[in-house]
Amino acid sequence: DRMILDQWVRYVGDPVAIVVGENEQAAIQAMRRIKVEYEVLEPVLDPTEAIDNPILVHPEDDWRQLVPNLGGDAKRNLCASNVESEGDVEATLADCDVVIDTVYRTQACQQAMMETFRAFAYLDTYGRLNIVASTQVPFHVRRIVGTALGWPHSKIRVIKPRIGGGFGAKQTAVCEVYPAFVTAMTGRPSQIIFTREESMIASTPRHPMELHIRLGASKEGRIRAIDLHTLSDTGAYGEHGPTTVGLSGHKSLSLYPRLESWRFAFDVVYTNHMGRGAYRGYGATQGIFAMESAIDELAKKLDMDPIVLREMNMVNPGDAPGSYDGGAIDSCCIDECLEAVKKKINWDETYPCRIMPDGKIRAVGCALAMQGSGIAGLDTASARINLNDDGTYALLIGATDMGTGCDTILAQM
């Protein structure tokens, strides 16, 4: 749903032109001479009004999804849409002693990593395009640049030095395509460096989401059914729209797998906000916030200790959450973790709160979370060690160290 440059400018910060200069001063002078004539169109800014809105964010005829079965339809402002379920949710909820029916909303958040977005490109002796970038995803950058330029992957090399923070924003090829395009067209080295303002208005913040949860349980506290609908605002472009919204349900519903029925539905809508992306937790953050808040509401309605309620229903080894991929959980120490937390914060004496001598309130709460590294059955890892003629070793890995320490610890291993 994105071109290198487009006649349609979909949000404030969308690229309008690529300006190339011998130096920064020349490029700035050239930009000042460009006069852009805009036809101002009515925007779509409210995600709740985006679906089937007569105003289309992507009215072009060549919009297409490269991944099948995502349910997207640009003529409806839908980037993705789907329903997953098991059992009869409506019947189970109708039979429950207690039902929580509530809506939670999360806001967009923008990363402020120390190093802004930047990349430079050059052609080597063999005519291969080399891109040195502050990125978390060198392999995705190679794929995206190859698609944009129509070049084979074998003609593109992406180099990732140590980067000054990413937090997910650099999981998108925010700037790399532009110097790659310039170098491919001119044969000369080029670079682009975003200012802090450009990093804030022309990158990829977290997806704002509206999450509607219905949760049913018996009076003893056994959770019988969960129904979750997520409305996600992907902004002008949907690079991470379908994947982040999936984790809002898969990582939250799967915390409570012993259900009689469940349903997870989602709609990812286009709006004229800046395109959204990855940000610490990748969609699971929004879903878990909503789910755990609903669990607390259920505990209050049942007059139960929220930790006891979670202990009765939470995932354990051997469970196979159908809301994830149906595979069995081989290892999971969440029960030990919860028990350790109870002891460390003295839960039984401090829940829900204490009034201090000075009148201040000291409160405690708990929430469960589920996270993984990589996509099971799809992502792979490998390493190669070469013994050099001077007795030293060279370790070759494809991992991206963004402050997580993999360069250091893998060398130590």
Side-chain angles (χ1 to χ4, degrees), residues 171 205-207 209 230 232-234 238-251 264 266 268 276-279 281-287:
Q171 201 170 317
R206 173 174 282 164
H207 293 73
M209 293 185 184
T230 302
S232 178
D233 178 1
T234 193
E239 288 156 302
H240 293 269
T243 43
T244 52
V245 76
L247 296 189
S248 76
H250 299 152
K251 291 290 177 68
F264 170 44
F266 61 79
V268 183
R276 318 299 187 178
Y279 185 142
Y282 205 75
T285 316
Q286 297 94 310

Side-chain angles (χ1 to χ4, degrees), residues 8 10 43-44 50 55-60 74 77 235-237 270-272:
W8 295 86
R10 294 181 173 85
V44 179
I55 302 168
L56 296 180
V57 178
H58 284 276
E60 66 270 18
N77 282 332
Y237 302 103
Y270 286 115
T271 64
N272 289 111

Side-chain angles (χ1 to χ4, degrees), residues 134-392:
S134 181
T135 179
Q136 298 174 226
V137 286
F139 297 103
H140 284 315
V141 169
R142 181 178 65 173
R143 172 181 57 81
I144 291 166
V145 170
T147 300
L149 301 182
W151 284 35
H153 292 178
S154 59
K155 294 283 288 182
I156 301 172
R157 180 189 183 201
V158 178
I159 301 166
K160 180 216 70 68
R162 292 198 171 177
I163 65 176
F167 313 122
K170 293 174 183 174
Q171 201 170 317
T172 302
V174 169
C175 68
E176 291 86 350
V177 169
Y178 306 112
F181 175 78
V182 170
T183 297
M185 294 297 105
T186 66
R188 299 182 59 182
S190 66
Q191 72 171 355
I192 187 170
I193 297 176
F194 276 37
T195 64
R196 176 60 61 190
E197 180 183 4
E198 289 163 344
S199 291
M200 297 296 285
I201 68 169
S203 58
T204 50
R206 173 174 282 164
H207 293 73
M209 293 185 184
E210 179 181 280
L211 303 106
H212 180 194
I213 293 183
R214 294 191 299 161
L215 192 152
S218 67
K219 59 180 181 293
E220 292 79 25
R222 186 171 66 86
I223 301 174
R224 299 177 58 192
I226 299 178
D227 184 21
L228 170 63
H229 176 265
T230 302
L231 176 68
S232 178
D233 178 1
T234 193
Y237 302 103
E239 288 156 302
H240 293 269
T243 43
T244 52
V245 76
L247 296 189
S248 76
H250 299 152
K251 291 290 177 68
S252 59
L253 277 161
S254 302
L255 288 166
Y256 305 99
R258 293 184 292 280
L259 303 169
E260 295 174 33
S261 58
W262 60 268
R263 179 167 56 204
F264 170 44
F266 61 79
D267 294 302
V268 183
V269 295
Y270 286 115
T271 64
N272 289 111
H273 296 124
M274 60 195 297
R276 318 299 187 178
Y279 185 142
R280 294 185 66 87
Y282 205 75
T285 316
Q286 297 94 310
I288 287 171
F289 155 70
M291 183 64 68
E292 292 303 284
S293 298
I295 294 293
D296 278 350
E297 287 197 40
L298 177 64
K300 186 174 182 179
K301 203 166 185 178
L302 290 168
D303 195 24
M304 284 185 66
D305 184 317
I307 281 187
V308 173
L309 178 61
R310 286 175 170 86
E311 289 173 336
M312 287 176 58
N313 295 280
M314 65 189 185
V315 64
N316 282 300
D319 290 331
S323 52
Y324 200 63
D325 61 3
I329 302 294
D330 294 326
S331 62
C332 171
C333 297
I334 198 167
D335 53 342
E336 297 175 24
C337 179
L338 202 53
E339 185 62 32
V341 167
K342 284 178 63 176
K343 291 179 180 178
K344 285 184 180 292
I345 64 176
N346 197 19
W347 175 268
D348 292 333
E349 282 71 41
T350 57
Y351 173 78
C353 65
R354 292 172 295 159
I355 302 176
M356 310 305 289
D358 60 2
K360 292 183 178 179
I361 303 294
R362 293 288 181 266
V364 294
C366 72
L368 305 182
M370 178 185 207
Q371 187 57 295
S373 182
I375 303 172
L378 179 65
D379 286 344
T380 58
S382 63
R384 189 167 74 220
I385 300 177
N386 295 339
L387 174 60
N388 302 320
D389 55 5
D390 64 352
T392 60

Side-chain angles (χ1 to χ4, degrees), residues 56-69:
L56 296 180
V57 178
H58 284 276
E60 66 270 18
D61 293 328
D62 59 350
W63 179 94
R64 69 186 192 279
Q65 288 196 316
L66 303 181
V67 179
N69 304 319

Side-chain angles (χ1 to χ4, degrees), residues 40-60:
V40 181
L41 305 175
E42 187 73 22
V44 179
L45 299 177
D46 187 341
T48 64
E49 298 176 358
I51 298 177
D52 295 327
N53 195 301
I55 302 168
L56 296 180
V57 178
H58 284 276
E60 66 270 18

